[in-house]
Every structure is written in structure tokens, then in C-alpha cells.
Amino acid sequence: DGGITQSPKYLFRKEGQNVTLSCEQNLNHDAMYWYRQDPGQGLRLIYYSQIVNDFQKGDIAEGYSVSREKKESFPLTVTSAQKNPTAFYLCASSTIQGPGELFFGEGSRLTVL
Amino acid sequence: AQSVSQHNHHVILSEAASLELGCNYSYGGTVNLFWYVQYPGQHLQLLLKYFSGDPLVKGIKGFEAEFIKSKFSFNLRKPSVQWSDTAEYFCAGRSSNTGKLIFGQGTTLQVKP
């Protein structure tokens, strides 16, 4: 079945450690996105990419990094510079033609101890 | 800067009441607009989308939204809500200039039986 796979679903890390969240899609979508969801703040865009080897910062990119070496994959690294990394992270993809609604993964919940 | 604003953060209605949730965007160029719903404990689900054509868009579960370009608005409506509509609702928009897709802060709807 086509879809978006995020892993891991739950992740615990100590302060000061970098962590990488995986996002893979087999929908043949050109665009991929990373959002952070916090209660009362909606979904805030971290990074997005519309084409391989190119990506743009979203509204809260500080302390995060991404890569887009393959069309199917868009991993997110939460670095030790991110001041409040504990959150629910959602990956999404879309076409860039037409309405381009987002298809979401199931999310990754990161807890920094 | 591109933004999407939702006016109501928390709405409480009785069953059979009519619903209207406000959404405004600030974008240049052509916009694609969306409403997503997140039921308690579940993932985001697309309610409806506007791409072009008829500004009155009908979605799932009896929801509709009207794109009013002159007001930069895309309000969500439902004539008669049910207890099962209790959820968080997110408005989102993408500018064709940048491809950036951002969300409003969300509106929590509580429907009392």
C-alpha cells in the first residue's frame, strides 16, 4: 500500500544528543514536509522540500537539519541546539501540481530527558 | 510573511447548532486552501480543499467552506453539528509562489450532547 512511514514511533533521548527521525514515502510525491505539533500551537513547519537535493527552512528551523538525497526519503535531525525538542513530529508529502493536499505519516513522539 | 490565522481557539456548541470557524490567510499569488480535522487520539484527516473554480467547496461529513478572495478568508461551516464532530480543526494554506504549506493554530470544537 502507498503511504508514508515514520520511524521510530516513540523515542527517548538525553539532553545534548542529536536524534534523527526517519520519513519514507512511496507515493511518488515531489514535496515533503516536517511539522512539529504542540498543544495549542497547531502544526508548525520546520523544513520542506520540493525537489531532491533542495530544501527550504520553515518557520521554526533553528536547531533542526534535513537532507533530501532521494525522492522517497526526508530525514529530520533534531540537534542539541534545539532548545525545546520534546514534541510530536509529523512528516507529510504532497504533489506539487494541482491541489497538493498533504498525506501524513503516523508521527514520531520525541521525549528528551 | 505568509500566515494562516484561526480566530476561535475553543468553541463549545450544543448538538444541532450551526458552526462557523474562521480562517484568514495572508499570501500573494494563487493559494490552495485546506481544512483538516483531528479527532481525539487520531491522526489528521482532510475535510476539504480549495484549488480553483467554485469558491464554495463541499467536503466530507457535511462540512463546507467558502473561499472569499476579497476577504482573504476560507471559513468552515456546518449547518447542524453532532457530538461526533468534537475534534480539533486546522486551516492550512499553500502559496503557489513558494510551495510552503502552513497551518493555523487550530480550533478545538466541543459539542455537547
Side-chain angles (χ1 to χ4, degrees):
Chain A
D1 283 358
I4 300 178
T5 302
Q6 286 187 243
S7 63
K9 197 169 182 179
Y10 299 96
L11 186 59
F12 297 87
R13 278 294 181 266
K14 292 182 179 178
E15 266 191 43
Q17 288 182 327
N18 291 356
V19 300
T20 297
L21 307 180
S22 169
C23 178
E24 304 275 333
Q25 55 101 357
N26 60 4
L27 300 168
N28 199 33
H29 285 167
D30 289 303
M32 297 187 74
Y33 305 78
W34 274 105
Y35 293 90
R36 170 180 170 143
Q37 186 174 19
D38 296 286
Q41 299 194 59
L43 279 73
R44 292 181 290 166
L45 181 63
I46 305 172
Y47 269 98
Y48 66 110
S49 167
Q50 297 190 88
I51 194 169
V52 173
N53 292 323
D54 189 38
F55 47 82
Q56 287 76 41
K57 292 182 179 180
D59 297 323
I60 56 164
E62 186 174 347
Y64 299 97
S65 66
V66 291
S67 63
R68 188 87 186 277
E69 295 176 4
K70 299 185 299 181
K71 187 175 183 178
E72 310 80 53
S73 177
F74 192 42
L76 173 75
T77 297
V78 185
T79 75
S80 56
Q82 167 49 232
K83 303 227 181 303
N84 187 19
T86 294
F88 187 61
Y89 292 89
L90 279 165
C91 179
S93 70
S94 75
T95 62
I96 55 174
Q97 303 296 327
E101 69 265 32
L102 295 177
F103 290 75
F104 286 94
E106 294 202 339
S108 295
R109 186 165 296 281
L110 171 63
T111 303
V112 175
L113 306 171
Chain B
Q2 297 171 0
S3 68
V4 175
S5 301
Q6 293 181 239
H7 316 303
N8 319 99
H9 296 296
H10 198 159
V11 173
I12 302 174
L13 295 173
S14 298
E15 274 195 317
S18 64
L19 170 72
E20 181 160 3
L21 301 182
C23 174
N24 285 92
Y25 66 92
S26 64
Y27 281 80
T30 305
V31 295
N32 304 150
L33 296 162
F34 310 88
W35 276 97
Y36 284 85
V37 61
Q38 188 171 33
Y39 297 103
Q42 296 187 26
H43 303 299
L44 282 155
Q45 179 180 355
L46 180 69
L47 270 180
L48 48 79
K49 62 191 176 191
Y50 172 77
F51 175 58
S52 64
D54 189 344
L56 184 61
V57 180
K58 295 201 182 294
I60 61 171
K61 307 190 181 195
F63 287 93
E64 65 178 31
E66 186 173 12
F67 171 58
I68 303 180
K69 191 173 180 180
S70 60
K71 295 185 178 180
F72 299 92
S73 71
F74 190 56
N75 293 355
L76 181 71
R77 301 194 292 246
K78 185 170 184 178
S80 175
V81 294
Q82 301 171 323
W83 176 79
S84 58
D85 292 323
T86 295
E88 191 157 18
Y89 293 80
F90 296 95
C91 182
R94 177 195 282 115
S95 165
S96 61
N97 292 347
T98 65
K100 187 177 176 183
L101 198 158
I102 61 174
F103 284 78
Q105 305 92 319
T107 298
T108 301
L109 171 65
Q110 184 181 352
V111 180
K112 295 185 173 179

